[in-house]
Amino acid sequence: MSITLRINGQNRVTAAAPETPLLYILRNDFELNAAKCGCGRAQCGDCTVMLDGEPVRSCVTPAAAVGKRNITTLEGLGSISKLHALQQAFIDEQAAQCGYCSSGMIISAKALLDTHRSPTEEQIRNALAGNLCRCGTHTRIIRAIQRAAKALA
Ligand code: FES
Ligand code: FES
């Protein structure tokens, strides 16, 4: 039996068992390694991807629960030659140290900016409340999201 997933605009087929977490399929089957496994228990946000624009924890999302929804990972946001405004802003603000949290942070920020074009700092903080950064770059991350919001306005 196989499962077809719509990932970054393409149909991808996996033979993984239906209960397999989406995170494992992205990384192990399709080499989409941006989403990370931090805790594996929906506690850190490192594995965040979007399902039809909603940020979800892919470490606790079984493949069978995805259905026909569109999966967006960091790899689907921009390209090497044309970065998404959020990716560029994270570089410009140097909003990473180890970078382990960055993919989840950017995906959560993307979901926010898709619905709030000019978010307040409080809205940004609330949107990222479930994304942890062990390196303490939160201040720069918030600045990067504010910079991206201006660039996209
Ligand atoms: S790895 Fe999924 S929330 Fe931590
Ligand atoms: S930059 Fe290291 S965990 Fe956030």
Side-chain angles (χ1 to χ4, degrees), residues 36-40 42-45 47 57 59:
K36 302 286 188 289
C37 187
C39 65
Q43 299 293 309
C44 72
C47 64
R57 305 294 188 244
C59 68

Side-chain angles (χ1 to χ4, degrees), residues 46 95-102 105 132-137 141:
D46 291 346
Q97 288 190 37
C98 77
Y100 205 81
C101 69
S102 302
M105 291 282 186
L132 307 183
C133 174
R134 293 154 192 81
C135 300
T137 55
I141 288 169

Side-chain angles (χ1 to χ4, degrees), residues 67-83:
K68 295 188 185 311
R69 288 180 287 178
N70 293 297
I71 301 161
T72 305
T73 70
L74 186 71
E75 292 91 341
L77 289 201
S79 64
I80 296 289
S81 56
K82 189 168 179 9
L83 295 177

Side-chain angles (χ1 to χ4, degrees), residues 83-95 140-141 143-149 151:
L83 295 177
H84 185 276
L86 276 163
Q87 293 166 318
Q88 187 62 57
F90 267 62
I91 293 170
D92 293 341
E93 294 291 345
Q94 292 290 286
R140 281 183 271 161
I141 288 169
R143 275 208 309 267
I145 295 167
Q146 290 169 327
R147 178 189 277 255

